[in-house]
Amino acid sequence: MTEFIPTRHPNPAGIQRVAVMTSGGDAPGMNAAIRAVVRTSAFEGLEVMGVRRGFSGLHRGEMKLIGPRDVANTIQRGGTILLTARSATWRTPEGRASGAQHLRDNGVGGLIVIGGDGSFHGAHLLEQEHGIPVIGVPGTIDNDLYGTDHTIGYFTAVETALDAVDKLRDTGASHERIFVIEVMGRHAGHIALDVAVAGGAEEVFIPEDDKPIGDVIQIVKDSVKKGKTGSIVIVAEGVPGGAQGVGDAIQAGTGLETRVSILGHIQRGGTPVSSDRILASRLGEAAVYALMDGVSGVMVGRRGSNIIHTPLIETWEKRKDVNRDLYRCAKKLSV
Ligand code: F6P
C-alpha cells in the first residue's frame, strides 16, 4: 500500500495571514472549525489571527495570533473559545470601517466568519465596502442556510433536544399527560422535524406549514381512544404562539392534562457529536483553501460528500426547505 502524504495547497492569492472569528449564536462544533482553520493554516505555512467576540470585537481590534497548540483540547468542547456576540455597532458604516482598518493594520489577507445568516450579512458588507476577502463557514444549530446540507451544531442540537424529549416522555406517559415541547430553530423547522420523527412524536408544528390546530386536537383525542398513554407534540419556536399557544389550545380543546416545556438554550451547549466535529473539520479546512485560491464572498458548505461554494447572499436569500418526505413520514408514523 502506498503511504498517503498530504501535499501543500497552491496559494495563488499569496495569502500569508488569515483571521477567524465566531459570530452570532454559538453552536457546538465551532471550536472544531476554529481548530481546523488554525491547523490547516499552520500546515500550509500561514498565520492565523483569532478575533474575539465576533464583529463587536473586530471593530475594537480585539485579535491576536493563535497557533496549533492554542487549539489543543478544544475539538470536544461546546461553545466557542473565541467568544461570540451579536453586534449592533457592526450595522454602522463606521463600525465596519474600523474593523477593516484593524484587519489591514494586522496584515490580514482574508477573514473567515463562522456563524449564521446575520454574520454572513456582516461579512458581505465588509467585503463590498472595504474589499477584504471573506469566507463564511455555516455555524448555527438552526440548519437554515441555503448551500449546505447541514450546518455545524445542528446534529448536536437535535441529539440534545431528543434526549430531553425521551425524558419528558417518561414522565408524560406515567401521568397520562400531553407534553408540548418547544425546540429552537428561529424561523425554521429543521430541528423540530428531526426531533419529532426520532422522538416518536404524535404531532409536529413547523413554521413551513400552517397546520390548523383543530386537526391536532382531533388527533390527540383519537390517540387516547386508541389507548395511547400520553402524547408528545413538538413545536418549532418560529410557529406563531409557540408551544404555549399550542398547549393552551390542546388543553382547552381536549380537556386533557397538558404540560408545556420550552427547551431553550440547553440546545446550544454540550459536547459536539462526531457529525458536527467532522463537518466542522472539513469546512474549516475548505475555508482556508478558498482564501488561498483567491475566492471570496462565498460560504463553504457540504452537499452529499462534496464541498461546495455558495455566494453569501444566496445563503440567506434562497430558502432551504425542510425535508418534505420526512414531514410526510412523520404524519404516518403517529397512527
Ligand atoms: O440562531 C440560533 C438560535 O439559538 C435560535 O435558534 C434562537 O432563535 C436564537 O439563536 C436565540 O438567540 P439568543 O441566544 O440571542 O437568545
mmCIF file of all heavy atoms in Angstrom, residues 25-26 86 140-142 144 184-187 191 237 265 268, ligand 1:
data_model
loop_
_atom_site.group_PDB
_atom_site.id
_atom_site.type_symbol
_atom_site.label_atom_id
_atom_site.label_comp_id
_atom_site.label_asym_id
_atom_site.label_seq_id
_atom_site.Cartn_x
_atom_site.Cartn_y
_atom_site.Cartn_z
ATOM 1 N N GLY A 25 -25.160 33.432 17.386
ATOM 2 C CA GLY A 25 -25.378 32.387 18.398
ATOM 3 C C GLY A 25 -24.314 31.303 18.316
ATOM 4 O O GLY A 25 -23.955 30.868 17.225
ATOM 5 N N ASP A 26 -23.797 30.893 19.463
ATOM 6 C CA ASP A 26 -22.785 29.821 19.440
ATOM 7 C C ASP A 26 -23.436 28.508 19.016
ATOM 8 O O ASP A 26 -24.658 28.355 19.089
ATOM 9 C CB ASP A 26 -22.111 29.672 20.813
ATOM 10 C CG ASP A 26 -23.088 29.280 21.890
ATOM 11 O OD1 ASP A 26 -24.225 29.788 21.873
ATOM 12 O OD2 ASP A 26 -22.742 28.443 22.741
ATOM 13 N N ARG A 86 -23.639 39.305 19.279
ATOM 14 C CA ARG A 86 -24.451 39.877 18.196
ATOM 15 C C ARG A 86 -24.167 41.374 18.269
ATOM 16 O O ARG A 86 -24.452 42.018 19.267
ATOM 17 C CB ARG A 86 -25.933 39.581 18.428
ATOM 18 C CG ARG A 86 -26.257 38.082 18.501
ATOM 19 C CD ARG A 86 -27.755 37.850 18.410
ATOM 20 N NE ARG A 86 -28.140 36.502 18.843
ATOM 21 C CZ ARG A 86 -28.117 35.436 18.044
ATOM 22 N NH1 ARG A 86 -27.700 35.535 16.813
ATOM 23 N NH2 ARG A 86 -28.511 34.258 18.505
ATOM 24 N N THR A 140 -24.460 27.234 12.954
ATOM 25 C CA THR A 140 -25.703 27.578 13.657
ATOM 26 C C THR A 140 -26.485 26.294 13.893
ATOM 27 O O THR A 140 -26.514 25.419 13.020
ATOM 28 C CB THR A 140 -26.580 28.570 12.858
ATOM 29 O OG1 THR A 140 -27.912 28.558 13.413
ATOM 30 C CG2 THR A 140 -26.686 28.208 11.379
ATOM 31 N N ILE A 141 -27.133 26.212 15.049
ATOM 32 C CA ILE A 141 -27.924 24.998 15.311
ATOM 33 C C ILE A 141 -29.169 24.937 14.423
ATOM 34 O O ILE A 141 -29.769 23.885 14.277
ATOM 35 C CB ILE A 141 -28.359 24.887 16.798
ATOM 36 C CG1 ILE A 141 -29.299 26.038 17.188
ATOM 37 C CG2 ILE A 141 -27.154 24.787 17.708
ATOM 38 C CD1 ILE A 141 -30.028 25.781 18.506
ATOM 39 N N ASP A 142 -29.553 26.071 13.806
ATOM 40 C CA ASP A 142 -30.844 26.148 13.112
ATOM 41 C C ASP A 142 -30.886 25.391 11.783
ATOM 42 O O ASP A 142 -31.970 25.102 11.278
ATOM 43 C CB ASP A 142 -31.226 27.612 12.851
ATOM 44 C CG ASP A 142 -31.335 28.409 14.143
ATOM 45 O OD1 ASP A 142 -31.605 27.794 15.186
ATOM 46 O OD2 ASP A 142 -31.140 29.636 14.094
ATOM 47 N N ASP A 144 -30.486 26.507 8.879
ATOM 48 C CA ASP A 144 -31.373 27.272 7.991
ATOM 49 C C ASP A 144 -30.630 27.988 6.862
ATOM 50 O O ASP A 144 -31.153 28.954 6.311
ATOM 51 C CB ASP A 144 -32.172 28.295 8.818
ATOM 52 C CG ASP A 144 -31.262 29.238 9.587
ATOM 53 O OD1 ASP A 144 -30.038 28.996 9.646
ATOM 54 O OD2 ASP A 144 -31.778 30.222 10.140
ATOM 55 N N MET A 184 -35.735 24.970 19.471
ATOM 56 C CA MET A 184 -35.249 26.173 18.770
ATOM 57 C C MET A 184 -35.273 25.972 17.258
ATOM 58 O O MET A 184 -35.699 24.934 16.765
ATOM 59 C CB MET A 184 -33.846 26.524 19.243
ATOM 60 C CG MET A 184 -33.823 27.314 20.533
ATOM 61 S SD MET A 184 -32.152 27.882 20.896
ATOM 62 C CE MET A 184 -32.500 29.074 22.184
ATOM 63 N N GLY A 185 -34.767 26.969 16.541
ATOM 64 C CA GLY A 185 -34.718 26.898 15.082
ATOM 65 C C GLY A 185 -35.006 28.226 14.425
ATOM 66 O O GLY A 185 -35.083 28.313 13.210
ATOM 67 N N ARG A 186 -35.241 29.242 15.264
ATOM 68 C CA ARG A 186 -35.594 30.590 14.777
ATOM 69 C C ARG A 186 -36.795 30.513 13.838
ATOM 70 O O ARG A 186 -37.861 30.115 14.283
ATOM 71 C CB ARG A 186 -34.392 31.248 14.096
ATOM 72 C CG ARG A 186 -34.511 32.772 14.060
ATOM 73 C CD ARG A 186 -33.285 33.378 13.454
ATOM 74 N NE ARG A 186 -32.142 33.378 14.356
ATOM 75 C CZ ARG A 186 -31.872 34.342 15.222
ATOM 76 N NH1 ARG A 186 -32.647 35.385 15.308
ATOM 77 N NH2 ARG A 186 -30.821 34.273 16.004
ATOM 78 N N HIS A 187 -36.636 30.789 12.522
ATOM 79 C CA HIS A 187 -37.804 30.755 11.624
ATOM 80 C C HIS A 187 -37.930 29.424 10.888
ATOM 81 O O HIS A 187 -38.739 29.292 9.976
ATOM 82 C CB HIS A 187 -37.688 31.884 10.590
ATOM 83 C CG HIS A 187 -37.489 33.222 11.214
ATOM 84 N ND1 HIS A 187 -38.418 33.765 12.081
ATOM 85 C CD2 HIS A 187 -36.464 34.107 11.144
ATOM 86 C CE1 HIS A 187 -37.971 34.937 12.501
ATOM 87 N NE2 HIS A 187 -36.793 35.162 11.953
ATOM 88 N N ILE A 191 -34.937 21.448 13.132
ATOM 89 C CA ILE A 191 -34.706 20.731 14.403
ATOM 90 C C ILE A 191 -36.006 20.037 14.817
ATOM 91 O O ILE A 191 -36.016 18.854 15.183
ATOM 92 C CB ILE A 191 -34.235 21.698 15.516
ATOM 93 C CG1 ILE A 191 -32.883 22.327 15.168
ATOM 94 C CG2 ILE A 191 -34.148 20.967 16.859
ATOM 95 C CD1 ILE A 191 -32.376 23.340 16.198
ATOM 96 N N GLU A 237 -39.940 26.887 17.557
ATOM 97 C CA GLU A 237 -40.162 28.193 18.192
ATOM 98 C C GLU A 237 -40.722 29.239 17.226
ATOM 99 O O GLU A 237 -41.346 30.206 17.651
ATOM 100 C CB GLU A 237 -38.874 28.714 18.827
ATOM 101 C CG GLU A 237 -37.781 29.022 17.814
ATOM 102 C CD GLU A 237 -36.559 29.694 18.432
ATOM 103 O OE1 GLU A 237 -36.638 30.217 19.541
ATOM 104 O OE2 GLU A 237 -35.502 29.669 17.768
ATOM 105 N N HIS A 265 -32.036 27.396 25.519
ATOM 106 C CA HIS A 265 -30.606 27.453 25.188
ATOM 107 C C HIS A 265 -29.830 26.189 25.532
ATOM 108 O O HIS A 265 -28.672 26.064 25.131
ATOM 109 C CB HIS A 265 -29.958 28.661 25.864
ATOM 110 C CG HIS A 265 -30.354 29.952 25.208
ATOM 111 N ND1 HIS A 265 -31.566 30.556 25.469
ATOM 112 C CD2 HIS A 265 -29.727 30.713 24.273
ATOM 113 C CE1 HIS A 265 -31.661 31.664 24.736
ATOM 114 N NE2 HIS A 265 -30.565 31.781 24.003
ATOM 115 N N ARG A 268 -28.065 24.699 22.691
ATOM 116 C CA ARG A 268 -26.869 25.297 22.085
ATOM 117 C C ARG A 268 -25.578 24.784 22.714
ATOM 118 O O ARG A 268 -24.492 25.021 22.171
ATOM 119 C CB ARG A 268 -26.949 26.820 22.208
ATOM 120 C CG ARG A 268 -27.993 27.448 21.313
ATOM 121 C CD ARG A 268 -27.378 28.450 20.359
ATOM 122 N NE ARG A 268 -26.803 29.577 21.033
ATOM 123 C CZ ARG A 268 -27.412 30.757 21.206
ATOM 124 N NH1 ARG A 268 -28.619 30.948 20.722
ATOM 125 N NH2 ARG A 268 -26.812 31.734 21.822
HETATM 126 O O1 F6P B 1 -29.717 31.033 15.840
HETATM 127 C C1 F6P B 1 -29.520 30.209 16.943
HETATM 128 C C2 F6P B 1 -30.571 30.474 17.978
HETATM 129 O O2 F6P B 1 -30.342 29.632 19.089
HETATM 130 C C3 F6P B 1 -32.026 30.345 17.501
HETATM 131 O O3 F6P B 1 -32.434 29.006 17.441
HETATM 132 C C4 F6P B 1 -32.758 31.176 18.524
HETATM 133 O O4 F6P B 1 -33.951 31.679 17.971
HETATM 134 C C5 F6P B 1 -31.776 32.289 18.808
HETATM 135 O O5 F6P B 1 -30.491 31.817 18.421
HETATM 136 C C6 F6P B 1 -31.717 32.724 20.235
HETATM 137 O O6 F6P B 1 -30.876 33.826 20.303
HETATM 138 P P1 F6P B 1 -30.267 34.411 21.636
HETATM 139 O O7 F6P B 1 -29.192 33.482 22.115
HETATM 140 O O8 F6P B 1 -29.723 35.740 21.249
HETATM 141 O O9 F6P B 1 -31.383 34.469 22.635
#
